[in-house]
Every structure is written in structure tokens, then in C-alpha cells.
Amino acid sequence: MNESITALFIGLCTGLIILLITKGKSSRLFLFNEELFFIYVLPPIIFNAGFQVKKKQFFRNFMTIILFGAVGTLISFIIISLGSVQLFNKLNIGFLDTRDYLALGAIFSATDSVCTLQVLNQEETPLLYSLVFGEGVVNDATSVVLFNAIQRFDLSHINSSTAMHLFGNFLYLFATSTLLGLAVGLVSAYIIKKLYFGRHSTDREVALMILMAYLSYIMSELFDLSAILTVFFCGIVMSHYTWHNVTESSRVTTKHTFATLSFIAEIFIFLYVGMDALDIEKWKFVSKSPGTSIGVSSILLGLVLVGRAAFIFPLSFVSNLTRKSQSDKIGLKQQVVMWWAGLMRGAVSMALAYNQFTKSGHTQLPGNAFMITSTISVVLFSTVVFGLLTKTLIKVLLPKTHSSNAVISELADSVDSKSLALPLLSSSRGKERESEVGRDRDNIPRPTSLRMLLSTPTHTVHYYWRKFDDAIMRPVFGGRGFTPHVPGSPTEGYLR
């Protein structure tokens, strides 16, 4: 039982209590507002995902993550849209136009990266965690970009020109949203590094980081871009540069603040979904034909399964062609876990469904009622069933083994970090420090040849980026190793 499933059950229990109190009139304490959700609830979740992401793993697998997150989402979008058109015509569920079918493709292509984080262990399966988490965030952003692009076009007559225009608009939104997030993140780093009023105070530093993060989201909304993608990359840049420019107390505060806000937003979403699952208004339409409702939910769930399998296995094969080392390749068992772990649908799917098929949480058309109740059913089923079985599946397919990485990790943990750091520190404290280093030098374990081999940098994209980052970016924007002198910081002695 992870936090999402627990929140769903609490929401269901709360909705049941409200139903009993109101004698079956309502199960909710408040109405869902799509605009409030996208402006206030979603930004903390996505920003914290970018802020907490392990950048080294993320960018080391960047091309694979983009392949799964962008190209894979497009494949899933096409399969779900075309499949729903073919299969829903056989069911009498009311009028659905082309925009609705395409919207369904975008809605059910969005995975739930929140649940994924809770069922995968970063220490036990670092590669899987990096791929599924990174793909989940890029996938959410891509789904929202697709959804927004669909809302802008006249889709009454689709031809090749309209399809190309839609695809071009998608690429434009993806690129410009990413660049805006990077730009705002760099500006925040430069401001905190250079300007006096932003530093020397934990309150000001934390407030400035929160406001700049939110500014990126609002600016993206004002320019009609993908705010979810903008705030995600702003979070990555701020964790890489801005976070290292503040004092130690501000670092601790920001890390916990962003994580807390994200957690509250996630729990709020699942609590509401749990309450809304018992909404009488929507189920009145559906209760007249329960067989149709079950059919719609089953079709959507089946399309989700097929749509994810259609890109996970072929794109894993493509990704493996670019990986030279056999240990870096994605095995069949890992592919199965990736397919299963990404089947959960959650906050983003619910928000997009409400945006498309309801008005302020209310549904008046039978077709829209079927879509909302089916979305709720798929979210509940996938979160509970797939979420509960993911850890079991990992234990069966990927049992713990003492691999070379585990051995290296144990060696690294066994070495006292202070003894490793001492030879690298300057001898500013005189002869006493040098004598301490001399006494501890004999006690430092020498790295094994395997560890030296794995720690040697290779000429990859990540390697060249590090050279560029150290030579140009960090001296200007700050970051680890280039932190400015901040009076009163607990790490002041070490930073000099």
C-alpha cells in the first residue's frame, strides 16, 4: 500500500460518509476546477520531480528517456485514439466527435509518475528507476502538449496538412517550453549569485526560489506554451545551479519545502478522485446501462495495455542498438517491468478528462458521463491493482543479486567520507592539518581496478557537457564547486 492507494481509500471512505450525511445527494466537499488544478496543484508536483531528479542518471539516459517519453507517447496516443474510434462505434454511448477521440488518446497516454516513484526503489533498480521516472515526467508533459494542441485546431476535417500542422505545433511547443524553463532557471541562479538582496537570508532565498519557479509556470501559461514542461526543466536547472548558490540552511529548507508541497498536492488529487468516484450525478447516466459502462472501461484499459506495449518493446530494441556495453542494455525482464510500472494512470489523466468532459465538475451529457466514470474506473483499477503488484513483479523478475555495482556501492559506503575528503582539502590550517592527513593516508582503502575502470570518464555526451559546464556555465551561474562566498554559511570554511 503506497501513499496514492491510501489516499484513494481515504477519499472513498470520506465520499461514503458525505453520501450518508447528505442522504445520497452529494459525495464531495467542493467542486473540481480545472483551471485551479493546473495553476495551483500541478506545478508543485512537476517542479519537485525536476528538482529531485538524479541528473547524472537522467542525462546519461537522456536520449532513451526522450525516445520513450516523446516518441512512445505519440505511438500510444495514436493507438488509443484509433482504437477508441473503432471500438466505441459498436457501443451506444452518445455523441463523441473527433476532438473527443483524440483527447482520449492524450488523456490515457499520460502515466502516473507519482505512483511509479512509490513502487520503484532507486537503490535496487537504478536504471529502471531513472528510465521509468524520466519517461513518466516527459510523458506527462508530452500528453499535456498534445492535449493543448488538439484544443487549438479545427478537427472537423482532418487531412495530411492538418496532421502535419498538428505535429509541427507539438514540436514548437515542446522546444519553446523547454527553452523557457532553462532560461528562467538560469536567471534565478544568476540573481541569487550576484544580487545582494537575494542572499544572506534563508527567508529571501527560499522565497526567491519558489517565486522564480512559479514565474516559469505562469510565463509559460501566458505565452500559451506547455507549462508542465517548462516548470520541469526549470526545476532541473535550479537544482543544478541555483540550489548550490544559497546557504546550507536554505538548501535544507528548499529541499523539504518543495517535497512537502508536492506531497500535499498529490494527496489532495487522490483524495478528490476517491470522493468523486462516488458522485451520484455522473453515475445516474451510467446506471441505466451498466454493461456499456463496463465495456467502455474495459476497452480503455485494454488500449492502455496495448498502447504501452506497442512502444516499450520496439523502442527498447532500438535503444539497445545504441548501447555498446551488454550490462547497459535493457533486458526483456526489465522491459516487462517498465511496461507494467507505467500502466498506472493518475492526476494528469484525471485533470485532462475533467477539462475535456466536464464543466466545473458537472456532467450533463450521457457520452461525457461515460467518459468521466470510465476514466475514474481506469485510474482506480490501475492505481490499486498495478500499483500493488509492481513490487511483487520486480521481486519475481529481478531478484536481488550482488552485482559489480552493488560491490562497488558497498566499497564506497565502507570508506569513511572524511578520510577521503582530507587529502583534497587545502592546508590552510597549517601543520596540524597536514599531520592529520599523513596519519589517515595509510588508512584509506585503495580503489580496486574495477572501481577505477568504472569511475574513468568516457567520451560521451555527458562527458563533453561536463567540460562545457565547468568551463563556461558554472563560473557564470554558480553550482557545485563554484559557490560564492556567503558569510555565515556553515560550509564557509570548506568552500574557500
Short mmCIF file of all heavy atoms in Angstrom, two decimals, residues 7-59:
data_model
loop_
_atom_site.label_atom_id
_atom_site.label_comp_id
_atom_site.label_asym_id
_atom_site.label_seq_id
_atom_site.Cartn_x
_atom_site.Cartn_y
_atom_site.Cartn_z
N ALA A 7 -4.46 7.26 -0.04
CA ALA A 7 -5.26 8.48 -0.23
C ALA A 7 -6.54 8.18 -0.98
O ALA A 7 -7.60 8.76 -0.69
CB ALA A 7 -4.43 9.52 -0.98
N LEU A 8 -6.49 7.27 -1.96
CA LEU A 8 -7.70 6.88 -2.69
C LEU A 8 -8.73 6.26 -1.76
O LEU A 8 -9.92 6.59 -1.81
CB LEU A 8 -7.34 5.90 -3.81
CG LEU A 8 -6.88 6.48 -5.14
CD1 LEU A 8 -6.47 5.36 -6.10
CD2 LEU A 8 -7.98 7.31 -5.78
N PHE A 9 -8.28 5.35 -0.90
CA PHE A 9 -9.20 4.69 0.03
C PHE A 9 -9.77 5.68 1.04
O PHE A 9 -10.95 5.60 1.40
CB PHE A 9 -8.49 3.54 0.75
CG PHE A 9 -8.45 2.28 -0.07
CD1 PHE A 9 -7.25 1.70 -0.44
CD2 PHE A 9 -9.63 1.66 -0.48
CE1 PHE A 9 -7.20 0.55 -1.20
CE2 PHE A 9 -9.60 0.49 -1.24
CZ PHE A 9 -8.39 -0.07 -1.61
N ILE A 10 -8.93 6.62 1.50
CA ILE A 10 -9.44 7.65 2.42
C ILE A 10 -10.49 8.50 1.72
O ILE A 10 -11.52 8.86 2.29
CB ILE A 10 -8.28 8.52 2.95
CG1 ILE A 10 -7.35 7.68 3.84
CG2 ILE A 10 -8.82 9.72 3.73
CD1 ILE A 10 -6.09 8.42 4.27
N GLY A 11 -10.22 8.85 0.43
CA GLY A 11 -11.18 9.62 -0.34
C GLY A 11 -12.48 8.87 -0.53
O GLY A 11 -13.58 9.46 -0.43
N LEU A 12 -12.41 7.57 -0.80
CA LEU A 12 -13.61 6.76 -0.96
C LEU A 12 -14.41 6.70 0.35
O LEU A 12 -15.64 6.83 0.35
CB LEU A 12 -13.24 5.34 -1.39
CG LEU A 12 -12.78 5.16 -2.85
CD1 LEU A 12 -12.20 3.77 -3.06
CD2 LEU A 12 -13.95 5.40 -3.81
N CYS A 13 -13.71 6.53 1.46
CA CYS A 13 -14.39 6.50 2.77
C CYS A 13 -15.02 7.85 3.08
O CYS A 13 -16.16 7.92 3.58
CB CYS A 13 -13.41 6.11 3.87
SG CYS A 13 -12.79 4.41 3.73
N THR A 14 -14.31 8.94 2.78
CA THR A 14 -14.85 10.28 3.01
C THR A 14 -16.08 10.52 2.16
O THR A 14 -17.10 11.06 2.63
CB THR A 14 -13.78 11.34 2.68
OG1 THR A 14 -12.59 11.06 3.41
CG2 THR A 14 -14.28 12.74 3.03
N GLY A 15 -16.00 10.12 0.87
CA GLY A 15 -17.15 10.27 -0.02
C GLY A 15 -18.35 9.48 0.47
O GLY A 15 -19.50 9.95 0.38
N LEU A 16 -18.10 8.28 1.00
CA LEU A 16 -19.19 7.46 1.52
C LEU A 16 -19.85 8.11 2.73
O LEU A 16 -21.08 8.13 2.86
CB LEU A 16 -18.66 6.07 1.89
CG LEU A 16 -19.68 5.01 2.29
CD1 LEU A 16 -20.64 4.73 1.14
CD2 LEU A 16 -18.97 3.73 2.71
N ILE A 17 -19.04 8.69 3.60
CA ILE A 17 -19.57 9.37 4.79
C ILE A 17 -20.41 10.59 4.38
O ILE A 17 -21.50 10.82 4.91
CB ILE A 17 -18.42 9.81 5.73
CG1 ILE A 17 -17.74 8.57 6.33
CG2 ILE A 17 -18.93 10.72 6.84
CD1 ILE A 17 -16.45 8.88 7.06
N ILE A 18 -19.90 11.37 3.40
CA ILE A 18 -20.64 12.55 2.93
C ILE A 18 -21.95 12.13 2.28
O ILE A 18 -22.99 12.79 2.44
CB ILE A 18 -19.78 13.37 1.95
CG1 ILE A 18 -18.52 13.88 2.64
CG2 ILE A 18 -20.56 14.56 1.39
CD1 ILE A 18 -17.51 14.51 1.71
N LEU A 19 -21.93 11.00 1.53
CA LEU A 19 -23.16 10.48 0.92
C LEU A 19 -24.21 10.16 1.98
O LEU A 19 -25.39 10.47 1.83
CB LEU A 19 -22.85 9.23 0.10
CG LEU A 19 -22.53 9.41 -1.38
CD1 LEU A 19 -22.23 8.06 -2.02
CD2 LEU A 19 -23.68 10.08 -2.12
N LEU A 20 -23.75 9.53 3.06
CA LEU A 20 -24.68 9.17 4.14
C LEU A 20 -25.23 10.42 4.85
O LEU A 20 -26.41 10.48 5.18
CB LEU A 20 -23.97 8.26 5.15
CG LEU A 20 -23.56 6.87 4.63
CD1 LEU A 20 -22.75 6.13 5.69
CD2 LEU A 20 -24.80 6.06 4.24
N ILE A 21 -24.37 11.41 5.05
CA ILE A 21 -24.79 12.64 5.74
C ILE A 21 -25.79 13.42 4.89
O ILE A 21 -26.79 13.95 5.39
CB ILE A 21 -23.57 13.52 6.08
CG1 ILE A 21 -22.70 12.82 7.13
CG2 ILE A 21 -24.01 14.89 6.60
CD1 ILE A 21 -21.39 13.53 7.41
N THR A 22 -25.52 13.51 3.56
CA THR A 22 -26.39 14.28 2.65
C THR A 22 -27.54 13.44 2.11
O THR A 22 -28.27 13.89 1.22
CB THR A 22 -25.57 14.84 1.47
OG1 THR A 22 -24.96 13.74 0.76
CG2 THR A 22 -24.50 15.79 1.96
N LYS A 23 -27.68 12.20 2.59
CA LYS A 23 -28.74 11.29 2.14
C LYS A 23 -28.71 11.04 0.64
O LYS A 23 -29.74 11.09 -0.04
CB LYS A 23 -30.10 11.83 2.58
CG LYS A 23 -30.25 11.93 4.09
CD LYS A 23 -31.61 12.47 4.49
CE LYS A 23 -31.72 12.56 6.01
NZ LYS A 23 -33.04 13.11 6.44
N GLY A 24 -27.49 10.82 0.12
CA GLY A 24 -27.33 10.44 -1.27
C GLY A 24 -27.32 11.57 -2.27
O GLY A 24 -27.35 11.32 -3.48
N LYS A 25 -27.26 12.82 -1.83
CA LYS A 25 -27.28 13.95 -2.76
C LYS A 25 -25.91 14.29 -3.31
O LYS A 25 -25.77 14.68 -4.47
CB LYS A 25 -27.87 15.19 -2.07
CG LYS A 25 -29.34 15.04 -1.71
CD LYS A 25 -29.85 16.31 -1.05
CE LYS A 25 -31.33 16.17 -0.69
NZ LYS A 25 -31.86 17.38 -0.02
N SER A 26 -24.87 14.17 -2.51
CA SER A 26 -23.52 14.56 -2.96
C SER A 26 -22.48 13.75 -2.19
O SER A 26 -22.72 13.30 -1.08
CB SER A 26 -23.28 16.05 -2.73
OG SER A 26 -21.95 16.40 -3.05
N SER A 27 -21.31 13.58 -2.82
CA SER A 27 -20.21 12.87 -2.16
C SER A 27 -18.96 13.73 -2.07
O SER A 27 -17.91 13.24 -1.69
CB SER A 27 -19.87 11.59 -2.94
OG SER A 27 -19.36 11.90 -4.22
N ARG A 28 -19.09 15.02 -2.43
CA ARG A 28 -17.90 15.88 -2.48
C ARG A 28 -18.07 17.10 -1.58
O ARG A 28 -19.17 17.60 -1.40
CB ARG A 28 -17.66 16.36 -3.93
CG ARG A 28 -17.32 15.23 -4.88
CD ARG A 28 -17.25 15.73 -6.31
NE ARG A 28 -18.54 16.24 -6.75
CZ ARG A 28 -18.79 16.71 -7.97
NH1 ARG A 28 -17.81 16.74 -8.85
NH2 ARG A 28 -19.97 17.16 -8.32
N LEU A 29 -16.95 17.54 -1.05
CA LEU A 29 -16.95 18.75 -0.23
C LEU A 29 -16.81 20.00 -1.09
O LEU A 29 -17.18 21.09 -0.67
CB LEU A 29 -15.79 18.70 0.78
CG LEU A 29 -15.87 17.61 1.85
CD1 LEU A 29 -14.55 17.52 2.60
CD2 LEU A 29 -17.01 17.90 2.81
N PHE A 30 -16.27 19.86 -2.30
CA PHE A 30 -16.04 21.00 -3.19
C PHE A 30 -16.09 20.51 -4.63
O PHE A 30 -16.03 19.32 -4.90
CB PHE A 30 -14.68 21.66 -2.90
CG PHE A 30 -13.57 20.67 -2.74
CD1 PHE A 30 -12.91 20.16 -3.84
CD2 PHE A 30 -13.18 20.24 -1.47
CE1 PHE A 30 -11.89 19.24 -3.69
CE2 PHE A 30 -12.17 19.31 -1.33
CZ PHE A 30 -11.51 18.81 -2.43
N LEU A 31 -16.21 21.44 -5.57
CA LEU A 31 -16.28 21.11 -6.98
C LEU A 31 -14.90 21.20 -7.61
O LEU A 31 -14.07 22.03 -7.21
CB LEU A 31 -17.23 22.07 -7.71
CG LEU A 31 -18.71 21.97 -7.32
CD1 LEU A 31 -19.52 23.02 -8.07
CD2 LEU A 31 -19.26 20.58 -7.60
N PHE A 32 -14.66 20.34 -8.58
CA PHE A 32 -13.37 20.33 -9.28
C PHE A 32 -13.30 21.52 -10.23
O PHE A 32 -14.23 21.78 -11.00
CB PHE A 32 -13.21 19.03 -10.06
CG PHE A 32 -11.85 18.89 -10.70
CD1 PHE A 32 -10.81 18.34 -9.99
CD2 PHE A 32 -11.64 19.30 -12.00
CE1 PHE A 32 -9.56 18.21 -10.57
CE2 PHE A 32 -10.40 19.17 -12.59
CZ PHE A 32 -9.36 18.62 -11.87
N ASN A 33 -12.21 22.24 -10.19
CA ASN A 33 -11.98 23.36 -11.09
C ASN A 33 -10.69 23.10 -11.86
O ASN A 33 -9.60 23.07 -11.27
CB ASN A 33 -11.88 24.68 -10.31
CG ASN A 33 -11.85 25.89 -11.21
OD1 ASN A 33 -11.02 25.98 -12.11
ND2 ASN A 33 -12.75 26.83 -10.97
N GLU A 34 -10.82 22.91 -13.19
CA GLU A 34 -9.65 22.54 -13.98
C GLU A 34 -8.57 23.62 -13.94
O GLU A 34 -7.38 23.32 -13.86
CB GLU A 34 -10.07 22.29 -15.44
CG GLU A 34 -11.11 21.21 -15.62
CD GLU A 34 -12.53 21.76 -15.48
OE1 GLU A 34 -12.69 22.98 -15.35
OE2 GLU A 34 -13.46 20.95 -15.48
N GLU A 35 -8.98 24.89 -14.00
CA GLU A 35 -8.01 25.98 -14.02
C GLU A 35 -7.23 26.04 -12.71
O GLU A 35 -6.00 26.23 -12.70
CB GLU A 35 -8.71 27.31 -14.30
CG GLU A 35 -9.28 27.41 -15.71
CD GLU A 35 -9.90 28.77 -15.96
OE1 GLU A 35 -9.91 29.59 -15.02
OE2 GLU A 35 -10.36 29.00 -17.09
N LEU A 36 -7.94 25.90 -11.59
CA LEU A 36 -7.26 25.91 -10.29
C LEU A 36 -6.29 24.73 -10.18
O LEU A 36 -5.21 24.85 -9.61
CB LEU A 36 -8.28 25.86 -9.16
CG LEU A 36 -9.12 27.12 -8.93
CD1 LEU A 36 -10.11 26.89 -7.81
CD2 LEU A 36 -8.24 28.31 -8.61
N PHE A 37 -6.70 23.58 -10.73
CA PHE A 37 -5.83 22.41 -10.68
C PHE A 37 -4.53 22.68 -11.44
O PHE A 37 -3.43 22.44 -10.92
CB PHE A 37 -6.53 21.20 -11.28
CG PHE A 37 -5.63 20.01 -11.45
CD1 PHE A 37 -5.38 19.15 -10.38
CD2 PHE A 37 -5.00 19.75 -12.65
CE1 PHE A 37 -4.54 18.06 -10.52
CE2 PHE A 37 -4.16 18.66 -12.81
CZ PHE A 37 -3.93 17.82 -11.74
N PHE A 38 -4.64 23.19 -12.67
CA PHE A 38 -3.44 23.40 -13.48
C PHE A 38 -2.60 24.57 -12.99
O PHE A 38 -1.40 24.62 -13.24
CB PHE A 38 -3.84 23.63 -14.95
CG PHE A 38 -4.14 22.36 -15.70
CD1 PHE A 38 -5.44 21.98 -15.97
CD2 PHE A 38 -3.12 21.52 -16.10
CE1 PHE A 38 -5.72 20.80 -16.64
CE2 PHE A 38 -3.38 20.33 -16.77
CZ PHE A 38 -4.69 19.98 -17.04
N ILE A 39 -3.21 25.52 -12.27
CA ILE A 39 -2.45 26.69 -11.82
C ILE A 39 -1.81 26.47 -10.46
O ILE A 39 -0.68 26.92 -10.21
CB ILE A 39 -3.37 27.93 -11.78
CG1 ILE A 39 -3.78 28.32 -13.20
CG2 ILE A 39 -2.67 29.11 -11.11
CD1 ILE A 39 -4.77 29.46 -13.26
N TYR A 40 -2.49 25.74 -9.56
CA TYR A 40 -2.01 25.65 -8.18
C TYR A 40 -1.59 24.25 -7.74
O TYR A 40 -0.69 24.11 -6.92
CB TYR A 40 -3.08 26.16 -7.21
CG TYR A 40 -3.44 27.61 -7.40
CD1 TYR A 40 -4.70 27.98 -7.86
CD2 TYR A 40 -2.50 28.62 -7.15
CE1 TYR A 40 -5.02 29.32 -8.06
CE2 TYR A 40 -2.81 29.95 -7.34
CZ TYR A 40 -4.08 30.30 -7.80
OH TYR A 40 -4.38 31.61 -7.99
N VAL A 41 -2.23 23.21 -8.24
CA VAL A 41 -1.98 21.86 -7.73
C VAL A 41 -0.89 21.14 -8.51
O VAL A 41 0.00 20.51 -7.93
CB VAL A 41 -3.29 21.03 -7.74
CG1 VAL A 41 -3.03 19.62 -7.21
CG2 VAL A 41 -4.36 21.72 -6.92
N LEU A 42 -0.94 21.25 -9.84
CA LEU A 42 0.02 20.51 -10.67
C LEU A 42 1.45 21.05 -10.62
O LEU A 42 2.40 20.26 -10.61
CB LEU A 42 -0.48 20.47 -12.11
CG LEU A 42 0.15 19.42 -13.03
CD1 LEU A 42 -0.03 18.02 -12.45
CD2 LEU A 42 -0.45 19.50 -14.42
N PRO A 43 1.68 22.40 -10.59
CA PRO A 43 3.06 22.91 -10.60
C PRO A 43 3.97 22.35 -9.51
O PRO A 43 5.11 21.99 -9.82
CB PRO A 43 2.87 24.43 -10.46
CG PRO A 43 1.52 24.70 -11.01
CD PRO A 43 0.69 23.50 -10.67
N PRO A 44 3.55 22.27 -8.23
CA PRO A 44 4.48 21.72 -7.22
C PRO A 44 4.91 20.29 -7.50
O PRO A 44 6.06 19.92 -7.25
CB PRO A 44 3.67 21.80 -5.91
CG PRO A 44 2.60 22.79 -6.16
CD PRO A 44 2.28 22.70 -7.61
N ILE A 45 3.99 19.47 -8.06
CA ILE A 45 4.32 18.07 -8.34
C ILE A 45 5.38 17.97 -9.41
O ILE A 45 6.39 17.28 -9.26
CB ILE A 45 3.04 17.31 -8.76
CG1 ILE A 45 2.01 17.32 -7.64
CG2 ILE A 45 3.38 15.89 -9.17
CD1 ILE A 45 0.67 16.71 -8.02
N ILE A 46 5.18 18.68 -10.51
CA ILE A 46 6.10 18.59 -11.64
C ILE A 46 7.43 19.26 -11.32
O ILE A 46 8.50 18.75 -11.67
CB ILE A 46 5.47 19.21 -12.90
CG1 ILE A 46 4.13 18.53 -13.20
CG2 ILE A 46 6.40 19.09 -14.08
CD1 ILE A 46 4.23 17.04 -13.42
N PHE A 47 7.38 20.42 -10.65
CA PHE A 47 8.63 21.10 -10.31
C PHE A 47 9.48 20.24 -9.38
O PHE A 47 10.70 20.12 -9.58
CB PHE A 47 8.36 22.45 -9.65
CG PHE A 47 9.60 23.16 -9.21
CD1 PHE A 47 10.38 23.86 -10.12
CD2 PHE A 47 10.02 23.11 -7.88
CE1 PHE A 47 11.55 24.50 -9.71
CE2 PHE A 47 11.17 23.74 -7.47
CZ PHE A 47 11.94 24.44 -8.39
N ASN A 48 8.86 19.65 -8.37
CA ASN A 48 9.63 18.81 -7.44
C ASN A 48 10.21 17.59 -8.15
O ASN A 48 11.30 17.13 -7.81
CB ASN A 48 8.74 18.37 -6.29
CG ASN A 48 9.50 17.63 -5.22
OD1 ASN A 48 10.39 18.16 -4.57
ND2 ASN A 48 9.18 16.36 -5.04
N ALA A 49 9.49 17.07 -9.15
CA ALA A 49 10.02 15.94 -9.92
C ALA A 49 11.31 16.34 -10.63
O ALA A 49 12.29 15.58 -10.64
CB ALA A 49 8.98 15.47 -10.94
N GLY A 50 11.33 17.54 -11.22
CA GLY A 50 12.56 18.01 -11.86
C GLY A 50 13.64 18.37 -10.86
O GLY A 50 14.82 18.14 -11.10
N PHE A 51 13.22 18.93 -9.72
CA PHE A 51 14.18 19.36 -8.71
C PHE A 51 14.87 18.19 -8.03
O PHE A 51 16.04 18.27 -7.67
CB PHE A 51 13.45 20.22 -7.67
CG PHE A 51 14.37 21.00 -6.77
CD1 PHE A 51 14.97 22.16 -7.22
CD2 PHE A 51 14.62 20.59 -5.47
CE1 PHE A 51 15.82 22.89 -6.38
CE2 PHE A 51 15.46 21.29 -4.64
CZ PHE A 51 16.06 22.46 -5.10
N GLN A 52 14.13 17.08 -7.84
CA GLN A 52 14.68 15.93 -7.13
C GLN A 52 15.30 14.88 -8.06
O GLN A 52 15.89 13.92 -7.57
CB GLN A 52 13.56 15.25 -6.32
CG GLN A 52 12.86 16.14 -5.32
CD GLN A 52 13.70 16.43 -4.09
OE1 GLN A 52 14.80 15.92 -3.95
NE2 GLN A 52 13.20 17.27 -3.21
N VAL A 53 15.14 15.03 -9.37
CA VAL A 53 15.63 14.02 -10.29
C VAL A 53 17.15 13.88 -10.19
O VAL A 53 17.86 14.86 -9.98
CB VAL A 53 15.22 14.37 -11.75
CG1 VAL A 53 15.99 15.55 -12.28
CG2 VAL A 53 15.43 13.17 -12.66
N LYS A 54 17.63 12.64 -10.29
CA LYS A 54 19.07 12.38 -10.29
C LYS A 54 19.59 12.73 -11.68
O LYS A 54 19.44 11.98 -12.63
CB LYS A 54 19.35 10.92 -9.96
CG LYS A 54 18.83 10.48 -8.59
CD LYS A 54 19.53 11.22 -7.47
CE LYS A 54 19.07 10.74 -6.11
NZ LYS A 54 19.70 11.48 -5.00
N LYS A 55 20.18 13.90 -11.76
CA LYS A 55 20.54 14.45 -13.07
C LYS A 55 21.55 13.60 -13.83
O LYS A 55 21.49 13.48 -15.05
CB LYS A 55 21.08 15.88 -12.89
CG LYS A 55 20.04 16.85 -12.34
CD LYS A 55 20.61 18.24 -12.18
CE LYS A 55 21.62 18.31 -11.05
NZ LYS A 55 21.03 18.00 -9.73
N LYS A 56 22.49 13.00 -13.10
CA LYS A 56 23.50 12.20 -13.78
C LYS A 56 22.87 11.02 -14.50
O LYS A 56 23.16 10.76 -15.67
CB LYS A 56 24.55 11.72 -12.75
CG LYS A 56 25.78 11.08 -13.40
CD LYS A 56 26.84 10.81 -12.36
CE LYS A 56 28.10 10.23 -13.00
NZ LYS A 56 29.16 9.98 -12.00
N GLN A 57 21.99 10.29 -13.79
CA GLN A 57 21.30 9.16 -14.41
C GLN A 57 20.35 9.64 -15.50
O GLN A 57 20.22 9.01 -16.55
CB GLN A 57 20.52 8.38 -13.34
CG GLN A 57 21.36 7.43 -12.51
CD GLN A 57 21.76 6.18 -13.28
OE1 GLN A 57 21.22 5.85 -14.31
NE2 GLN A 57 22.77 5.49 -12.77
N PHE A 58 19.67 10.76 -15.23
CA PHE A 58 18.69 11.28 -16.18
C PHE A 58 19.34 11.64 -17.51
O PHE A 58 18.87 11.24 -18.58
CB PHE A 58 17.98 12.49 -15.58
CG PHE A 58 16.93 13.10 -16.49
CD1 PHE A 58 15.65 12.56 -16.53
CD2 PHE A 58 17.21 14.20 -17.27
CE1 PHE A 58 14.68 13.12 -17.35
CE2 PHE A 58 16.25 14.76 -18.09
CZ PHE A 58 14.98 14.21 -18.12
N PHE A 59 20.44 12.38 -17.46
CA PHE A 59 21.08 12.82 -18.70
C PHE A 59 21.96 11.74 -19.32
O PHE A 59 22.22 11.78 -20.52
CB PHE A 59 21.89 14.10 -18.45
CG PHE A 59 21.02 15.31 -18.27
CD1 PHE A 59 20.82 15.86 -17.01
CD2 PHE A 59 20.38 15.88 -19.35
CE1 PHE A 59 20.01 16.96 -16.84
CE2 PHE A 59 19.56 16.99 -19.19
CZ PHE A 59 19.38 17.53 -17.93
#
